[in-house]
């Protein structure tokens, strides 16, 4: 089931650390390779020998050991995994993760990884309910960290309530889900996102107000359904989601090149706000304010990436465009769907009064060959989840 998957397992310092041993057994039984890391506090609860013996792989404990020539560097160790799992994740570890600390091996690996992170929190009820922990939890979730548990129950400290670490079987199931075991497993999906920057000279550029929030949420939702996502993003303000292949670009022409390089794909979603025009002649030196008067910029048309891919010899089976409009939203988007040759168009009104561009909510219409659906105003993450489910249903032929 998890054959060939590599799990970097960080064991924090809590009484629930003993459950990590059972988790290692389950993971190895399912064919996964486990690379264990034991924090200094974790070593107070389980012995390095038992962890290494069960994992059947070297145990890592010290950041500075990894600088030794024969050892794997911490960057490499954090990248070689398919998933990073923290069990038990203590209140202190959560705080360090939320704050971006990197003062030991575990926290450094967590900062250096480009993979998804799943935590199984475990702590005393009061510590779990403390506003600081809840703040950190919200921060970590917003950063894309997956969380399993804690559950309610009797705790080793004698209290009762939430804070008990999830059982090894539940953490094991959460690991399976995080490793792309959804309906889109094995499918490749391309998502474009963010604005493009079109240079005027080496220091100036033309841009737009796209934050990349909707495209980022969509890439994450497709990933959560098991898709292998290639995320081509312009200079967005929202960071790209973990667990997808990220290709950073600046201009529309670079975006087209990256997109064509990422084909073939099963589906492609074009959520980027691509600049329609670029400055025809980018100045090689910074333009100066001088006596010769105001500069006049001549424009050239950018390639239309969506239209190009819709007519490409490697056209994905499903091509979805976005239409950001400020008037006659549905009519313009219906015409655009036909003009660009895509299958679906997700249309929205980006007039400043809607607060949609750069905001956290979106109100969209889904335009397909068979008609137009008006979706309610929803958080962008919810729009993304619904659209991802529709894409999955379309690709797999299974109802949502
Ligand atoms: O800007 P426009 O309204 O034409 O954008 C509609 C759709 O076309 C969006 O999905 C956008 O990502 C895509 N597009 C593109 N390349 C362009 C312009 C727009 O892929 N040059």
């Amino acid at each position: 089931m998890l054959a060939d998957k590599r799990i970097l397992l960080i064991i924090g310092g809590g009484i629930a650390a003993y459950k990590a041993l059972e988790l290692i057994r389950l993971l190895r039984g399912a064919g996964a390779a486990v690379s264990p890391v034991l924090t200094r506090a974790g070593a107070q609860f389980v012995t390095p020998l038992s962890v290494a013996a069960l994992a059947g792989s070297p145990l890592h404990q010290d950041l500075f050991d990894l600088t030794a020539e024969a050892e794997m560097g911490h960057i490499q160790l954090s990248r070689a995994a398919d998933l990073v799992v923290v069990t038990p994740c203590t209140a202190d570890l959560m705080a360090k993760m939320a704050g971006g600390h990197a003062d030991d091996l575990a926290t450094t690996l967590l900062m250096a990884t480009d993979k998804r992170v799943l935590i199984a929190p475990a702590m005393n009820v009061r510590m779990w309910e403390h506003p600081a922990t809840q703040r950190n939890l919200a921060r970590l979730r917003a950063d894309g960290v997956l969380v399993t548990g804690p559950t309610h129950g009797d705790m080793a400290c004698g209290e009762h309530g939430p804070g008990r670490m999830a059982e090894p079987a539940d953490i094991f199931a959460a690991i399976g889900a995080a490793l792309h075991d959804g309906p889109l497993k094995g499918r490749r999906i391309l998502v474009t996102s963010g604005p493009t920057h079109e240079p005027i000279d080496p220091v100036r550029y033309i841009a737009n107000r796209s934050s990349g929030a909707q495209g980022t949420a969509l890439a994450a939702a497709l990933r959560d359904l098991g898709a292998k996502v290639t995320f081509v993003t312009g200079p967005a303000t929202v960071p790209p989601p973990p667990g997808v292949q990220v290709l950073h670009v600046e201009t529309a022409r670079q975006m087209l090149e990256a997109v064509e390089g990422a084909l073939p794909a099963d589906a492609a979603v074009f959520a980027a706000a691509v600049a329609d025009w670029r400055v025809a002649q980018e100045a090689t030196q910074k333009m100066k304010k001088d006596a010769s008067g105001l500069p006049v910029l001549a424009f050239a048309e950018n390639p239309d990436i969506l239209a190009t891919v819709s007519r490409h010899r490697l056209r994905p089976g499903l091509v979805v465009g976005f239409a950001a409009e400020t008037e006659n939203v549905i009519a313009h988007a219906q015409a655009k769907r036909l003009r660009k040759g895509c299958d679906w168009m997700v249309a929205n009104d980006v007039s400043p009064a809607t607060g949609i561009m750069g905001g956290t909510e979106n109100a969209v219409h889904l335009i397909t060959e068979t008609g137009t659906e008006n979706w309610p105003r929803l958080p962008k993450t919810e729009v993304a989840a619904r659209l991802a489910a529709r894409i999955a249903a379309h690709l797999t032929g299974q109802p949502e």
Side-chain angles (χ1 to χ4, degrees), residues 192-194 252 255 269-277 301-308 320-325 336 339-340 342 345-346:
T192 71
S193 181
M255 188 173 274
V269 187
F270 294 86
V274 184
D276 290 320
W277 308 285
E301 197 167 330
N302 266 332
D304 191 311
I305 305 165
L306 172 61
T308 306
V320 183
F322 271 68
E325 305 288 347
K336 204 171 266 185
R339 199 169 61 242
K340 302 222 183 197
C342 59
M345 202 40 120
V346 182

Side-chain angles (χ1 to χ4, degrees), residues 33-387:
V34 179
S35 217
V37 172
L38 191 57
T39 66
R40 188 189 291 264
Q44 301 294 321
F45 293 90
V46 288
T47 71
L49 192 59
S50 44
V51 174
L54 282 170
S57 137
L59 172 69
H60 304 285
Q61 285 185 278
D62 189 357
L63 180 58
F64 299 103
D65 272 359
L66 292 181
T67 55
E69 229 176 289
E71 278 274 12
M72 216 185 188
H74 61 270
I75 302 286
Q76 209 187 332
L77 184 59
S78 74
R79 305 276 165 87
D82 295 302
L83 183 72
V84 181
V85 179
V86 188
T87 168
C89 189
T90 60
D92 182 56
L93 259 173
M94 283 178 67
K96 285 182 168 158
M97 288 172 73
H101 290 243
D103 59 0
D104 64 3
L105 178 60
T107 49
T108 303
L109 293 171
L110 285 160
M111 282 290 280
T113 189
D114 59 352
K115 298 302 181 332
R116 296 210 85 190
V117 176
L118 170 73
I119 63 170
M123 65 199 72
N124 165 271
V125 182
R126 298 252 173 278
M127 291 172 79
W128 175 251
E129 288 176 343
H130 196 286
T133 303
Q134 292 302 311
R135 245 188 344 261
N136 293 333
L137 178 67
R139 177 72 260 161
L140 292 172
R141 283 215 164 102
D143 288 347
V145 170
L146 299 165
V147 183
T148 178
T151 59
H152 276 66
D154 291 328
M155 306 188 37
C157 54
E159 292 186 38
H160 184 89
R164 242 177 99 97
M165 193 170 85
E167 292 305 315
D170 296 324
I171 303 173
F172 178 74
I175 290 171
L179 285 169
H180 304 324
D181 242 350
L184 289 174
K185 183 176 178 177
R187 311 284 179 144
R188 286 175 53 107
I189 302 192
L190 176 64
V191 179
T192 71
S193 181
T196 62
H197 285 182
E198 308 296 332
I200 297 170
D201 67 17
V203 296
R204 302 182 179 94
Y205 57 83
I206 294 171
N208 60 62
R209 296 185 197 280
S210 165
S211 62
Q214 188 62 82
T216 301
L218 188 61
L222 291 164
R223 172 205 63 202
D224 288 347
L225 294 184
K228 199 160 180 277
V229 177
T230 303
F231 185 65
V232 181
T233 176
T237 43
V238 173
V244 304
Q245 186 198 7
V246 184
L247 302 175
H248 288 281
V249 299
E250 292 237 330
T251 67
R253 284 177 297 171
Q254 289 167 357
M255 188 173 274
L256 175 62
E257 196 182 326
V259 163
E260 287 193 295
L263 297 176
D266 296 290
V269 187
F270 294 86
V274 184
D276 290 320
W277 308 285
R278 65 176 183 276
V279 174
Q281 289 291 330
E282 178 190 345
T284 52
Q285 303 298 330
K286 185 181 170 197
M287 290 162 70
K288 295 283 180 214
K289 193 160 75 169
D290 57 23
S292 62
L294 294 175
V296 176
L297 298 179
F299 288 93
E301 197 167 330
N302 266 332
D304 191 311
I305 305 165
L306 172 61
T308 306
V309 171
S310 294
R311 301 193 168 90
H312 205 276
R313 67 186 172 84
L314 295 176
R315 186 194 197 278
L318 179 66
V319 177
V320 183
F322 271 68
E325 305 288 347
T326 55
E327 56 176 353
N328 295 334
V329 177
I330 295 178
H332 279 157
Q334 284 169 336
K336 204 171 266 185
R337 188 184 82 83
L338 296 174
R339 199 169 61 242
K340 302 222 183 197
C342 59
D343 302 298
W344 298 353
M345 202 40 120
V346 182
N348 59 2
D349 184 345
V350 291
S351 309
T354 64
I356 283 174
M357 208 143 186
T360 57
E361 292 185 339
N362 207 351
V364 308
H365 311 274
L366 180 65
I367 297 166
T368 68
E369 198 185 4
T370 52
T372 298
E373 292 171 26
N374 304 312
W375 292 8
R377 190 176 171 111
L378 296 164
K380 286 182 176 173
T381 47
E382 185 59 29
V383 170
R386 286 188 180 206
L387 191 57

